[in-house]
Amino acid sequence: MSEQDERERELTETVVASFAGTPDARLRTLMTALTRHLHAFAREVRLTEDEWAAAIRFLTDAGHITDDKRQEFILLSDVLGVSMQTITINHAVEGDVTESTVLGPFFVAGSPEVEQGGDLAFGASGEPCWVEGSVRDVEGTPIPGALVEVWEADEDGFYDVQYADSRTAARGHLVTDADGRFRFWALTPTPYPIPADGPVGRLLAATGRSPMRAPHLHFMVRAPGFRTLITHIFVEGDSLGGDSVFGVRDSLVKPFLRSDGPTPDGRVVDGSWTQVRFDIVLAGAGDG
Amino acid sequence: MSEQDERERELTETVVASFAGTPDARLRTLMTALTRHLHAFAREVRLTEDEWAAAIRFLTDAGHITDDKRQEFILLSDVLGVSMQTITINHAVEGDVTESTVLGPFFVAGSPEVEQGGDLAFGASGEPCWVEGSVRDVEGTPIPGALVEVWEADEDGFYDVQYADSRTAARGHLVTDADGRFRFWALTPTPYPIPADGPVGRLLAATGRSPMRAPHLHFMVRAPGFRTLITHIFVEGDSLGGDSVFGVRDSLVKPFLRSDGPTPDGRVVDGSWTQVRFDIVLAGAGDG
């Protein structure tokens, strides 16, 4: 081992040793592993001082653009696949249990309730989409009273929190009926870029990556005694290859069937509409 | 390999592949290595979703406390030893060349000039310290006209940028004389904590680590044709073991000799004063 190599290794060990007195064993494990990987990264790439300074500026810029409506650190985690890796680690494939994917930065608690068959677009622009499905356990038993939260971008690619005013649109929740079923109107998902006017957008541009997300509809499904499911459904055939946050799972890709005929509930739609089915299986709270 | 292991590895490879089109080869190398290490960290510790969320909150808090006078991301890098590792990587030991250490978050460009023998305390509180030394090249040839920047905390542990008002104190610069020498009054360095009222301070508290820095005096030395030196000198015998940013190098530990007798330049000091010598060797700009 060269003298230089020795100096670098010694420093890493000194830092690791500084965490040896951490009272919480889990925190000690995390800080030790984080230290080792950060140091290994710097040593492996022979990080220059200018590159280090650029990283500090990047994090600073990300911090300054982040507020209660914009979360650049989640975006960063998303585009580095760290969000999806964390989800993968924590949600092993488990029989028919519906797969999870990224939460994304646009979930907002306290969405309006809609009735079965109601419309959660709340005036957001886009092609109407009839969504129906069921929530069941791994035995196939329907789960009545499950809370189904849904949110999505409008046809211009914006979530309501990105609007200049503060109105709520294209988000809502409903409760499964006695047969564990749900049905509602939403909007056909369209491709949209993640917010690209900040440091994460500049990183994507510099690395020749697209900021576009595969079109999707967000779901969060909760029921007492079951693991909360955070997922999307994706539009079959619609630019799935390039999802900028690596969120696509084959099992979550669904056909959205387009029609300009009569709608399932007799709603009169001016132009085309789509329909999609999403049957959800929740894992028990104690599983996985 | 388990199915789970396979899914996790595949995801990492997908993210790495997304950077394959990065036009700049160096950026491609950096992003590939960063992705691999971040994913390896998450997989190794089996990062939970709550821990991931805590990390996002930590970075958000660090971003929000950072402004033009407070740099929490540099502090974070410092306490994880990443700053010192970057310096170690970029400044191999090279004969008698003076070793580098961390810049820290308190350097400010545009400090006042002091004459040879002047006092850069500018009213900051503390025990006077007479500092003298020389700047030479690796052949031992004096470097006249080298710019010597010095900054430090006052005896209460605060840098001027941490004062409520915006006065300048305990920082200044001077130019080496025809023999490459410098001499000035400063303050005897005292131990002080890094700013501990933010997320980095909370991390240190949670891990049982002290925020204290070993007492030191900052130097930045520049001369045309030479590599800029960023370093400190440390006070021999004074709590060197626990430097919270891992900045101590044996070669930078100097005796600060205390006296209450006459001073080198006849200045009348009420009480004790110290003196220290620091002979600096700069590497050529093309070296190392």
Side-chain angles (χ1 to χ4, degrees), chain B residues 67-119:
Chain B
D67 59 23
D68 56 350
K69 301 221 165 152
R70 169 79 177 254
Q71 230 308 348
E72 198 77 358
F73 292 110
I74 291 185
L75 280 187
L76 177 61
S77 171
D78 288 354
V79 304
L80 295 178
V82 174
S83 307
M84 200 61 195
Q85 189 63 274
T86 303
I87 288 160
T88 303
I89 289 165
N90 289 281
H91 300 270
V93 172
E94 187 187 341
D96 296 328
V97 170
T98 302
E99 291 192 277
S100 301
T101 187
V102 290
L103 174 65
F106 297 119
F107 173 73
V108 177
S111 72
E113 181 161 3
V114 295
E115 299 295 302
Q116 290 281 354
D119 185 356

Side-chain angles (χ1 to χ4, degrees), chain A residues 62-270:
Chain A
H64 288 170
I65 205 171
T66 294
D67 59 23
D68 57 348
K69 300 220 166 152
R70 168 77 177 254
Q71 232 307 349
E72 198 77 358
F73 293 109
I74 291 185
L75 279 186
L76 177 60
S77 171
D78 288 353
V79 304
L80 295 178
V82 174
S83 309
M84 201 59 194
Q85 188 62 274
T86 303
I87 288 160
T88 304
I89 289 165
N90 289 281
H91 300 269
V93 172
E94 187 188 340
D96 295 328
V97 171
T98 300
E99 289 193 279
S100 300
T101 188
V102 291
L103 174 64
F106 296 119
F107 173 72
V108 177
S111 72
E113 181 162 2
V114 296
E115 298 295 302
Q116 291 281 354
D119 185 355
L120 55 74
F122 292 109
S125 61
E127 181 186 48
C129 175
W130 176 256
V131 183
E132 58 180 293
S134 60
V135 181
R136 295 174 188 270
D137 69 14
V138 291
E139 312 290 329
T141 309
I143 306 176
L147 182 68
V148 179
E149 286 263 10
V150 181
W151 67 104
E152 65 177 329
D154 66 20
E155 70 179 342
D156 297 318
F158 295 109
Y159 288 80
D160 55 2
V161 295
Q162 298 174 289
Y163 294 163
D165 59 23
S166 58
R167 73 186 187 278
T168 295
R171 70 175 73 237
H173 67 270
L174 72 171
V175 170
T176 53
D177 66 17
D179 298 320
R181 289 183 301 200
F182 59 82
R183 65 203 81 89
F184 57 87
W185 284 100
L187 303 170
T188 309
T190 56
Y192 68 86
I194 62 170
D197 58 339
V200 170
R202 292 194 290 276
L203 174 66
L204 292 179
T207 55
R209 284 179 50 181
S210 165
M212 298 306 286
R213 290 225 52 204
H216 61 276
L217 186 62
H218 290 268
F219 280 79
M220 182 187 292
V221 184
R222 280 177 281 200
F226 295 91
R227 287 187 75 170
T228 295
L229 172 70
I230 296 171
T231 196
H232 311 344
I233 53 175
F234 295 91
V235 180
E236 190 175 272
D238 214 345
S239 55
L240 297 171
D243 190 46
S244 54
V245 309
F246 311 101
V248 179
R249 300 274 192 214
D250 290 348
S251 69
L252 300 173
V253 178
K254 306 291 178 189
F256 282 65
L257 303 174
R258 184 160 282 113
S259 167
D260 48 16
T263 58
D265 66 346
R267 173 180 175 181
V268 178
V269 170
D270 181 24

Side-chain angles (χ1 to χ4, degrees), chain A residues 51 60 64 66 71 99, chain B residues 7 26 51 60 64 66 71:
Chain A
E51 287 162 354
T60 302
H64 288 170
T66 294
Q71 232 307 349
E99 289 193 279
Chain B
R7 268 158 57 98
R26 175 66 182 167
E51 288 161 354
T60 302
H64 288 169
T66 294
Q71 230 308 348

Side-chain angles (χ1 to χ4, degrees), chain B residues 113-121 128-135 148-152 170-176 181-188 217-221 233 256 264-265 267 273-278 280:
Chain B
E113 181 161 3
V114 295
E115 299 295 302
Q116 290 281 354
D119 185 356
L120 55 74
C129 176
W130 176 256
V131 183
E132 59 180 292
S134 60
V135 181
V148 179
E149 286 262 11
V150 180
W151 67 105
E152 65 178 329
R171 69 175 74 238
H173 66 271
L174 72 171
V175 170
T176 54
R181 289 185 302 203
F182 58 83
R183 66 205 79 91
F184 58 86
W185 285 101
L187 303 170
T188 309
L217 185 63
H218 291 267
F219 280 80
M220 183 186 293
V221 184
I233 52 175
F256 282 65
D265 65 348
R267 173 180 174 181
W273 55 278
T274 60
Q275 61 181 315
V276 64
R277 177 159 194 94
F278 186 28
I280 293 166

Side-chain angles (χ1 to χ4, degrees), chain B residues 27-59:
Chain B
L27 182 59
R28 186 165 63 244
T29 298
L30 292 171
M31 295 314 300
T32 299
L34 182 64
T35 298
R36 288 198 189 284
H37 279 291
L38 287 175
H39 283 231
F41 164 72
R43 294 183 60 200
E44 188 178 309
V45 301
R46 312 311 293 165
L47 191 70
T48 71
E49 291 170 289
D50 284 349
E51 288 161 354
W52 175 87
I56 296 290
R57 281 195 304 274
F58 183 97
L59 291 168

